[in-house]
Amino acid sequence: MVDDLTRLANGVVWPGFLGSTVPRWLERELGDGLAGVVYFAQNLLGDTAALSARIHEIAPGALIGIDEEGGSVTRLETATGSTVPGAEQLGFVDDEAATRATGAEIGRRCAAIGADVVLGPVADVNTDPRNPVIGTRSFSDDTDVVSRHTAAEVVGIQSTGLAACAKHYPGHGDTHVDSHHDLPRIDLTPEQIEAEHLPPFRAAAEAGVLSIMTAHIVVPAWGEEPATLNPRVLGMLRDAGFDGVIVTDALDMAAIRETVGLGGGAVRALAAGADLLCIGNPTNPGPAMLPDQDERDFHAVRDAIVAALRSGELSRERVEEAAGRVARMSAAVTARSAAEPADFDAASVVRRAVTVVGDLQSLPDAPTTVVDVRRRSSLAVDSAAGHVAEALAAGGEIVRLDAERAEESDVADAERQVSSGRTVVLADRLDEQSPQRALVERLVAARAGTTVVDVGFGPAVIDDAPVVQVRGANLIGAQAARQALIGQ
């Protein structure tokens, strides 16, 4: 039997875990009041509905969260690519009914595997085209568009009885640093952030969102602590009237783990006003992952909270307040009555988002060579996911080039393939500052009229080359781009 401080601490901790069955340590902690778990792709390799049922059998109030955004970020369809529209595709189409329907479809799919919380929508306004972590996960670089579609998707998700979680407060859109690997700084004035980046979070709150996730970003105007650990920043969210659950972004990200550490970050996040501590994916250390990495990470967080409660560093009242909010969200989703699912034609929405710039000459409906120069995948986004190139190639050869590391001989080989015809160049960052753009321009120079397929953020124009703009690296977008390539 655990003591009351340990049970209290458990009520604000939200870990990931290894495998597709409930580990013994997790079963024990669920029985001792753990807030719930977060699913990642590695958890979904078995009968996930049965896994969820087992978790809820052990702890009926446990919250099961899942990072399911559609578009470029999916856990349910990691192996094949998402078959629902992504955020930028929806923002470009600018049909709020389609965004609500997309949110409802995401909610329905997550409910079908027993999840309770959808970690979306992304409410970030992507104002920096170099952004490595948001990009097409954002509805737009326009604040009004992001605000309207964030609210619409919140309504759609929560119509299914699940909780939505708008992210990443106070806005991760104006950075070119990935907080999974470093600590980004946002050198904007408070007035700029207020005007450009906070409105979507207000819109989410007004739409009734049950939770909002923090960002591990530093805004120097508000102090040197990242937002997740900054009482001033989280206090602004409360001052704006939001009384739902403040969820931390994953504490295992380098912005926290490699600065104040998992345990230190957990204690400081709670003290700052966060309610539910997302620990993260225990597979993230890669080859350095230990067989019990999940349990180690959990104890680093939970035990630090208990120690801080015992020492008085962290007040019991603050943790009780946080646990109370988490319990209220759990009660809300446990008592849910989902709306009836409606017919949803995802393909028609995505086809409206796929556009062509320039004179596109249709390719024959036959295997096509694809020269793929996209960025490498990150912990947040599977940028180089194979399903996109495979859908475009339709059985043809796929040549992979890294714009920053490719050998000259490999680039020359790719130029020869392009010059032979029936070749498509696949890219995801074509802004003027990108080395990827220089490589694409070199490749298309080998044969004027070579088609470029861009699955990155924002519009792109390449001289002497038609560009098929997809606005997301999802399977359904790649299929629509293939149809455009062959003139269907």
Side-chain angles (χ1 to χ4, degrees):
M1 188 73 176
V2 299
D3 62 52
D4 63 335
L5 289 185
T6 300
R7 179 172 285 275
L8 175 61
N10 271 355
V12 297
V13 179
W14 216 20
F17 64 97
L18 295 169
S20 54
T21 59
V22 181
R24 184 171 299 177
W25 74 265
L26 180 58
E27 182 170 348
R28 181 178 63 250
E29 301 302 339
L30 285 166
D32 290 334
L34 188 65
V37 299
V38 179
Y39 284 161
F40 295 92
Q42 53 92 10
N43 298 122
L44 309 183
L45 301 178
D47 184 341
T48 309
L51 171 63
S52 299
R54 176 59 183 148
I55 290 170
H56 286 140
E57 178 185 16
I58 300 165
L63 290 165
I64 298 174
I66 185 168
D67 235 353
E68 187 63 30
E69 299 173 11
S72 303
V73 175
T74 177
R75 306 296 181 223
L76 295 175
E77 299 181 290
T78 297
T80 59
S82 178
T83 54
V84 297
E88 194 193 355
Q89 291 166 340
L90 291 166
F92 177 81
V93 172
D94 201 8
D95 178 344
E96 291 172 42
T99 300
R100 281 192 297 275
T102 298
E105 178 65 11
I106 291 171
R108 184 194 67 76
R109 294 182 184 196
C110 293
I113 57 100
D116 304 294
V117 184
V118 176
L119 297 178
V122 170
D124 304 309
V125 184
N126 198 77
T127 50
D128 190 331
R130 300 169 298 170
N131 200 320
V133 69
I134 303 299
T136 63
R137 300 168 67 195
S138 170
F139 291 109
S140 178
D141 58 3
D142 181 283
T143 300
D144 176 66
V145 172
V146 177
S147 298
R148 290 187 288 104
H149 287 274
T150 294
E153 189 162 314
V154 164
V155 170
I157 291 169
Q158 295 192 168
S159 73
T160 66
L162 277 67
C165 183
K167 57 191 185 185
H168 308 81
Y169 184 85
H172 211 309
D174 196 272
T175 178
H176 61 276
V177 173
D178 185 345
S179 51
H180 292 81
H181 302 291
D182 207 342
L183 183 57
R185 296 173 67 87
I186 307 296
D187 291 313
L188 299 177
T189 66
E191 292 76 19
Q192 288 173 308
I193 296 172
E194 171 69 30
E196 296 176 8
H197 296 279
L198 296 187
F201 296 97
R202 287 197 292 269
E206 290 167 4
V209 74
L210 293 175
S211 59
I212 291 177
M213 179 176 283
T214 65
H216 303 326
I217 57 171
V218 171
V219 179
W222 293 331
E224 289 299 317
E225 293 177 300
T228 298
L229 313 181
N230 191 323
R232 180 175 180 181
V233 176
L234 300 190
M236 289 164 44
L237 188 52
R238 296 299 185 206
D239 292 343
F242 178 68
D243 194 40
V245 174
I246 296 179
V247 182
T248 70
D249 206 346
L251 296 176
D252 68 340
M253 292 160 63
I256 302 297
R257 185 194 281 271
E258 295 181 12
T259 55
V260 297
L262 280 173
V267 171
R268 290 175 61 177
L270 284 167
D275 303 306
L276 185 55
L277 308 175
C278 177
I279 296 178
N281 186 350
T283 68
N284 281 345
M289 181 191 77
L290 298 170
D292 60 346
Q293 189 72 51
D294 50 356
E295 188 174 4
R296 286 171 178 261
D297 288 351
F298 164 74
H299 278 291
V301 168
R302 199 278 307 279
D303 295 354
I305 297 169
V306 172
L309 285 166
R310 287 186 174 141
S311 72
E313 178 187 356
L314 188 60
S315 78
R316 181 172 185 139
E317 292 75 18
R318 166 77 272 272
V319 184
E320 286 176 339
E321 176 189 48
R325 286 200 180 96
V326 174
R328 287 195 294 275
M329 184 165 75
S330 171
V333 299
T334 301
R336 64 191 179 219
S337 56
E340 289 296 318
D343 291 335
F344 177 56
D345 187 354
S348 69
V349 176
V350 172
R351 283 194 296 269
R352 291 158 64 191
V354 175
T355 57
V356 178
V357 177
D359 183 17
L360 177 64
Q361 300 297 313
S362 296
L363 295 174
D365 188 6
T368 302
T369 298
V370 174
V371 180
D372 183 354
V373 302
R374 291 176 296 163
R375 288 171 289 185
R376 291 169 294 165
S377 295
S378 69
L379 293 175
V381 184
D382 193 5
S383 308
H387 58 265
V388 176
E390 289 164 7
L392 294 175
E397 183 181 2
I398 298 171
V399 178
R400 188 80 174 95
L401 285 180
D402 186 322
E404 297 181 359
R405 294 172 171 79
E407 298 287 340
E408 175 60 29
S409 59
D410 294 329
V411 176
D413 286 343
E415 286 180 300
R416 283 190 288 273
Q417 287 178 302
V418 169
S419 66
S420 67
R422 209 160 71 188
T423 300
V424 170
V425 178
L426 173 59
D428 69 349
R429 186 179 163 194
L430 294 177
D431 60 277
E432 296 290 345
Q433 302 172 64
S434 170
Q436 191 178 118
R437 182 185 180 95
L439 176 57
V440 169
E441 290 176 333
R442 178 174 169 181
L443 291 172
V444 300
R447 185 183 180 92
T450 295
T451 301
V452 176
V453 176
D454 177 23
V455 296
F457 187 85
V461 176
I462 299 291
D463 291 342
D464 300 321
V467 180
V468 179
Q469 188 79 39
V470 183
R471 301 179 171 85
N474 47 350
L475 175 62
I476 198 169
Q479 292 169 335
R482 172 70 187 180
Q483 290 176 325
L485 290 173
I486 62 176
Q488 291 186 355

